[in-house]
Amino acid sequence: MHPLLASFPVSIEIPVQWGDMDAYGHVNNTVFFRYFESARMAYFERCGFVQTYVDEQIGAILHSTSCRFRQSLFYPDRVEVGARVSTIEPDRFTMEYTVVSLGTGKVAAEGSGIIVSFDYKAGKKTLVPNLVRERVETLQAAFHHEDTKERKQE
C-alpha cells in the first residue's frame, strides 16, 4: 500500500487506460468517479454490503459525490485508490477516497460520497444492516489503530 493511503482500510490498483484520456491529453475528470466507484465496491465487498444485497436485497445507493482534482494523470500510469468511511449514521455513511499516481507518488484527487442504505424490495431507504455497521467499525478501528501506532513510532 502506498504510504499516502496508510489510513485507508481498502485500496486497489488501477491501470490508466489510453482511452481514459480526453482531447487535452490527460485523464478525463469523469474517470476519477469510476476510480472512486471501483474502490467503493471493493469496500462494499469487505464490509458485507454486497452480501446483504444478495441475501436480503438491502444494498447501497449513492446519494451524492464530489471530487477535488489535485494533479493531472496521463497514460501510461497506475493509480492506487483508497476508500474509507469517515462517519456512519443510522441509515447512511460518508466515504472518502484518495487517488495516488504511482508514477509521480503524488495525490491526483480526493473525493467523498454519501452512501445511503437502501431496501431494493421496498424501494426506500433503510437502516444500515448490523453486519455492515459492525464490519465498517472493525475495518475503520483497525486502520485508525495502525495509523496511530505508525505515528507514535515516527
Side-chain angles (χ1 to χ4, degrees), residues 24-40:
Y24 298 109
H26 58 75
V27 172
N28 186 276
N29 59 23
T30 62
V31 174
F32 288 85
F33 291 100
R34 288 200 322 253
Y35 295 161
F36 295 167
E37 177 184 54
S38 294
R40 182 169 56 248

Side-chain angles (χ1 to χ4, degrees), residues 44-129:
F44 288 173
E45 288 171 5
R46 294 272 305 273
C47 77
F49 238 146
V50 171
Q51 191 61 47
T52 60
Y53 179 76
V54 170
D55 294 345
E56 307 166 40
Q57 295 269 286
I58 295 177
I61 195 163
L62 183 63
H63 172 282
S64 56
T65 189
S66 65
C67 183
R68 169 71 169 94
F69 304 100
R70 301 248 176 228
Q71 169 187 311
S72 295
L73 291 173
F74 306 92
Y75 175 89
D77 196 353
R78 293 186 68 77
V79 296
E80 187 170 357
V81 186
R84 66 182 171 204
V85 170
S86 58
T87 60
I88 189 163
E89 298 176 40
D91 65 347
R92 68 192 62 215
F93 51 85
T94 301
M95 295 193 79
E96 295 176 348
Y97 318 102
T98 295
V99 178
V100 175
S101 162
L102 297 179
T104 66
K106 295 180 180 176
V107 172
E110 297 167 314
S112 66
I114 297 174
I115 312 303
V116 175
S117 182
F118 197 78
D119 184 331
Y120 283 85
K121 274 192 271 188
K124 62 182 184 177
K125 70 180 180 175
T126 189
L127 297 176
V128 173

Side-chain angles (χ1 to χ4, degrees), residues 7 9 11 16 19-20 22 35 40-41 59 63 67 75 89 102 106-107 114 128 132 142 146-149 154:
S7 63
S11 71
V16 172
D20 291 344
D22 60 19
Y35 295 161
R40 182 169 56 248
M41 290 310 299
H63 172 282
C67 183
Y75 175 89
E89 298 176 40
L102 297 179
K106 295 180 180 176
V107 172
I114 297 174
V128 173
V132 173
E146 291 301 316
D147 189 37
T148 303
K149 277 196 325 193
E154 291 179 346

